[in-house]
Amino acid sequence: MTRRWCLLHGLGATGAVWADVALQLRARGDQVICPDLPGHGDRAPLEAYTLNTLTDGIVSACDGDPGIVVGHSLGGYVALQWANGSYATEPSAVLTVGAKLSFTAEERLHMQALAAKPARTFDSEAEAIARYRKVAGLEASIGAQERHLARGVRATGDAWRLSQDPAANGIVVPPFADMLAGARCRVIASAGEHDPMVPMVQLREWVPDAVQFERAGHNAHVETPEAVVALLTRIADLASV
C-alpha cells in the first residue's frame, strides 16, 4: 500500500530539513512532499502571517489527499490547523515534532521586534549559511549535509541573505492545547529528549502517550531520522486500521 506524507518544517527553516526522513520513506515507495512554508525557501512572502494564511498556502501546495501530515515546531501548528475541519481535504493523522507548548509575553515581543527588521545581508554565502544554521537550529554536528541547507539562503545583488521573510517572525499562534482540542483526526505529539522548548512532562499532561526521541534535541527529524521514520510507520499502521 502506498502511503502519502506531507512533512512541514518549522519557523526559519525549509522543507529540505526533512531530506533524510523523506529519503527513507520514498525508498519504500511512499509518496512524500516537503513544501516550504509561505515566506520561506522558494515560497513568495505573504502580506500578513497568520496560522490561517500559512495553512492556506500549504493546503494549496499539497494538491489532493495530504495523507498523514507531520509538522515540526511551527509546522506542527499548521498541521493541527489543517486538521480542524476548515478545509476541503483533511489529514488522516497528524504528528507534531517539537511544537512549542506556550509563549511568554517577552518571547512574543522579541519575535515582533525581529519581524519589524529588514532582512540582514551578508558578504558571503558562507556567512549567510552560518546565520541560517543558527536560525533553523541546525548546528554543524546535526545538519552538516548540504541538503539540509538547501533553499535556506539566497543571493541578492552582491550580497547574501536568508530566504525567510523576516515578517514571518511576527506570527502569533493559538494555545497548543486549543489546537489539540480542535483536531478532527488522530494526533500524536513528540519531542526530543533534550528539546529545550518542549518539556516532556508538560507535553504528557496534554498528550499522555506523547513520544520522546532519545538523545535528540529540538530537531529530532534531522538528529534521529531513523527513529522518526519508525514512529511514522507505527502511525501509518494505526491510521489504516
Side-chain angles (χ1 to χ4, degrees):
M1 178 180 65
T2 299
R3 292 163 171 166
R4 295 174 59 86
W5 305 91
C6 179
L7 311 180
L8 306 178
H9 65 83
L11 182 67
T14 77
V17 297
W18 287 102
D20 290 338
V21 171
L23 184 67
Q24 294 182 46
L25 294 174
R26 288 171 178 146
R28 66 190 193 190
D30 291 359
Q31 297 178 6
V32 185
I33 182 171
C34 307
D36 294 336
L37 295 178
H40 293 70
D42 293 333
R43 298 291 297 279
L46 298 173
E47 292 185 7
Y49 289 91
T50 68
L51 198 51
N52 284 330
T53 59
L54 283 184
T55 308
D56 288 345
I58 287 298
V59 171
S60 65
C62 299
D63 186 34
D65 175 18
I68 298 174
V69 181
V70 185
H72 172 245
S73 200
L74 175 60
Y77 279 86
V78 174
L80 291 171
Q81 176 73 7
W82 196 351
N84 71 7
S86 300
Y87 299 89
T89 60
E90 293 184 9
S92 57
V94 162
L95 170 66
T96 65
V97 181
K100 188 172 168 63
L101 304 178
S102 60
F103 298 84
T104 66
E106 291 76 14
E107 286 172 332
R108 292 192 184 279
L109 285 174
H110 175 66
M111 296 307 291
Q112 292 295 329
L114 290 177
K117 293 181 179 180
R120 181 178 172 184
T121 58
F122 302 86
D123 293 333
S124 68
E125 182 181 16
E127 290 176 288
I129 286 178
R131 178 60 182 172
Y132 171 64
R133 283 188 181 281
K134 183 175 181 179
V135 169
L138 297 172
E139 297 89 351
S141 60
I142 67 169
Q145 300 92 334
E146 182 64 27
R147 59 185 179 279
H148 289 147
L149 309 176
R151 304 192 301 276
V153 301
R154 66 176 59 170
T156 172
D158 294 330
W160 289 83
R161 53 158 289 185
L162 303 193
S163 297
Q164 179 202 356
D165 178 8
N169 290 306
I171 187 171
V172 177
V173 296
F176 185 75
D178 292 351
M179 301 298 297
L180 282 174
R184 305 203 326 176
C185 65
R186 179 180 177 85
V187 176
I188 299 90
S190 67
E193 178 183 8
H194 305 297
D195 190 337
M197 298 185 185
V198 189
M200 185 57 62
V201 171
Q202 184 180 357
L203 179 58
R204 284 178 173 159
E205 290 178 0
W206 293 330
V207 188
D209 60 350
V211 176
Q212 176 173 282
F213 294 110
E214 305 300 324
R215 300 179 300 280
H218 186 56
N219 284 277
H221 53 307
V222 179
E223 300 168 73
T224 56
E226 294 81 7
V228 172
V229 170
L231 176 58
L232 295 182
T233 300
R234 295 200 299 272
I235 293 171
D237 291 342
L238 289 172
S240 64
V241 173

